[in-house]
Amino acid sequence: MQPSPSYRALAGLAGALIPLAARWSPRLSQGHVGRRRSLAGFLEWARSSRDRSRPLIWWHAPSVGEGRQAEAVLVRVRERRPAWQLAFTHFSPSAEQLAASLPVDVAGYLPWDTPGPVEQLVAALQPTALVFAKLDLWPELAGQAAASGAAVAMVAATVSRRSCRTRWPARLLTRSGYATVAAAGAIAVEDAERLVRLGIRPDRIQVTGDPRADSVADWVARVDQQDPLLALGGPETLVAGSTWPEDEDVLLGALARLRATGHPGARLILAPHQPSPDHLRRVEAQTRRAGLTIHRLGAMTPNAPGLPGDAWPDVILVDWVGILATLYGAGGLAYVGGGFGRAGLHSVLEPAAWSRPVLFGPRWDGSRDAELLLGAGGGRALTTAGGAQAQLAEAWLEWSSAAGPAAGRLARKVVEAGIGSAERNAELVIELVERKPRRESDYLGGG
């Protein structure tokens, strides 16, 4: 099923305007250059390495969080069907490092969802199945893949109550893509109901849970307990991840309050969502104005000369990417950003997997994981009433004591309750591929 003319017009306009906007945005520029290079790389891989006698599963996830969910599933598919070829695409520059680490045959940026580049890529890869993670389904890609004979699937499928995709005109513009889905693994019953509203047939949806639980548990199990990152904190250290300026205002204000009231052991490890040079400089200036000391992680290690434990800074500013999931294990409690702005709350299960109680801002209602943590007693939401800085400082003190580990164990139980989803989603994909009739071209041998 082809996308509507309106969708194609909007996608074409976005594809034309974003390269122009990239001149003023390093992030957009990185993605634009990456997309051009990736398309050429995929085409070259297809010419040299695509074996048409073997199924190829094409996985797509927009960014790191969704990529981790997809990873938990594709790793299990790889283990169970090692002869299959796997391709992975992403949209955000933040997922570059993750994509390079996955056990796939080829990986790179997804091109713009316009007919020309998509047709090139589908024709070159000739996927047996195209698997979207979470909700990032692109109508042009889904339509062309289905028309080529590929089975379209979704894993970790979830639709927030606030998702614009459930409302007009987005639902009308994207409906053709969702109508191609042959199998969808929904996280929960309410997600399954919303997927039907988007255009997926009810008989093609199973409730399989959230593979993010498997992903975060797998990560914690793999971390070397001698990793120097884990030595950066202690019971009174709060690790704040994926923060935005609104979060940082609250975090630094709360730490300044604690220091002013005689709590020298409280420290903050702060990992901004976008650690651009301008953002890092802004955080440094704000920290010093609050009377606190700060060092960038890239300039120090746990054993760095001149930085013995009792002289470490009040704030360690994380200027690396790809280490946050490990860093959460360094503190006694965690804060997850995105709950004070409109960006959306980031992954609260990563710190929960470390048995750390989790704090976040008031705009959490689109996050099922946050709701589960609150219900279990392993998480706490700040509010704007009564002063978020004071609330955070109070919770920081409470969870730096014996109450912290107890709340952390409750958080971990939320993660453990979800383990097994990755295997169920992997089974969904394997069954879809193995029951799918083969195309005539599949019998032609290597390509």
Side-chain angles (χ1 to χ4, degrees), residues 48-123:
S48 64
S49 303
R50 176 67 177 106
D51 181 353
R52 286 187 292 163
S53 68
R54 300 159 61 190
L56 182 140
I57 316 304
W58 176 353
W59 307 80
H60 173 72
S63 191
V64 174
E66 298 86 350
R68 292 290 182 198
Q69 289 171 301
E71 177 187 25
V73 183
L74 74 83
V75 163
R76 286 161 173 82
V77 171
R78 171 65 90 192
E79 291 172 349
R80 293 177 57 181
R81 297 295 185 272
W84 290 6
Q85 293 186 300
L86 305 182
F88 179 84
T89 55
H90 61 94
F91 195 83
S92 171
S94 66
E96 274 192 13
Q97 185 175 355
L98 170 65
S101 70
L102 295 175
V104 298
D105 299 278
V106 63
Y109 282 87
L110 186 73
W112 301 116
D113 199 42
T114 53
V118 169
E119 183 178 5
Q120 276 187 288
L121 198 48
V122 170

Side-chain angles (χ1 to χ4, degrees), residues 38 59-60 96 99 106 117-118 145 174 190 197 217 230 237 262 307 330-331 341 354 360 392 411 425:
S38 289
W59 307 80
H60 173 72
E96 274 192 13
V106 63
V118 169
T174 60
E190 54 267 30
R197 292 185 61 195
L230 300 181
T237 301
L307 289 175
W354 283 100
F360 40 86
L392 177 55
N425 279 276

Side-chain angles (χ1 to χ4, degrees), residues 372-399:
L372 292 173
L373 285 177
L374 290 171
R380 186 175 301 178
L382 306 177
T383 67
T384 52
Q389 292 181 6
Q391 294 169 38
L392 177 55
E394 180 181 354
W396 196 330
L397 285 179
E398 178 185 347
W399 281 346

Side-chain angles (χ1 to χ4, degrees), residues 112-346:
W112 301 116
D113 199 42
T114 53
V118 169
E119 183 178 5
Q120 276 187 288
L121 198 48
V122 170
L125 294 180
Q126 298 185 7
T128 311
L130 170 64
V131 183
F132 293 98
K134 201 167 182 179
L135 193 63
D136 199 50
L137 183 146
W138 293 91
E140 187 71 53
L141 175 58
Q144 290 206 31
S148 78
V152 179
M154 299 181 71
V155 296
T158 182
V159 188
S160 165
R161 292 188 295 269
R162 300 185 303 176
S163 174
C164 66
R165 294 201 182 204
T166 62
R167 299 191 292 271
W168 188 92
R171 189 167 57 171
L172 180 64
L173 292 172
T174 60
R175 192 170 187 83
S176 66
Y178 289 104
T180 68
V181 173
I187 286 179
V189 172
E190 54 267 30
D191 296 304
E193 294 169 349
R194 295 184 190 113
L195 289 171
V196 173
R197 292 185 61 195
L198 293 180
I200 302 177
R201 281 175 34 182
D203 62 331
R204 296 178 176 179
I205 303 171
Q206 303 175 37
V207 177
T208 52
D210 189 352
R212 190 189 300 270
D214 298 271
S215 173
V216 296
D218 289 349
W219 182 275
V220 170
R222 290 196 303 265
V223 172
D224 181 353
Q225 293 303 305
Q226 302 306 312
D227 190 318
L229 292 174
L230 300 181
L232 288 170
E236 296 178 85
T237 301
L238 186 152
V239 179
S242 299
T243 62
W244 296 80
E246 299 91 341
D247 301 297
E248 290 147 11
D249 291 343
V250 175
L251 288 159
L252 294 171
L255 180 57
R257 283 172 176 260
L258 291 176
R259 286 306 173 84
T261 53
H263 298 283
R267 291 193 176 90
L268 174 65
I269 298 175
L270 180 62
H273 179 65
Q274 296 180 353
S276 66
D278 286 346
H279 192 160
L280 295 174
R281 286 192 291 269
R282 189 197 72 81
V283 172
E284 287 172 326
Q286 183 179 5
T287 302
R288 292 181 180 120
R289 285 196 300 271
L292 302 168
T293 58
I294 184 169
H295 284 290
R296 295 193 187 190
L297 179 60
M300 61 180 290
T301 68
N303 299 313
L307 289 175
D310 59 357
W312 274 26
D314 303 319
V315 179
I316 297 175
L317 181 60
V318 180
D319 52 353
W320 304 354
V321 295
I323 60 172
L324 178 58
T326 299
L327 271 176
Y328 279 127
L333 65 160
Y335 177 95
V336 173
F340 276 98
R342 298 189 179 277
L345 188 64
H346 296 283

Side-chain angles (χ1 to χ4, degrees), residues 7-24 28 32 35 91 111-115 117:
Y7 176 84
R8 281 185 163 173
L10 287 172
L13 180 62
L17 293 179
I18 289 178
L20 297 176
R23 298 177 182 179
W24 294 275
L28 286 177
H32 178 56
R35 254 169 272 284
F91 195 83
W112 301 116
D113 199 42
T114 53

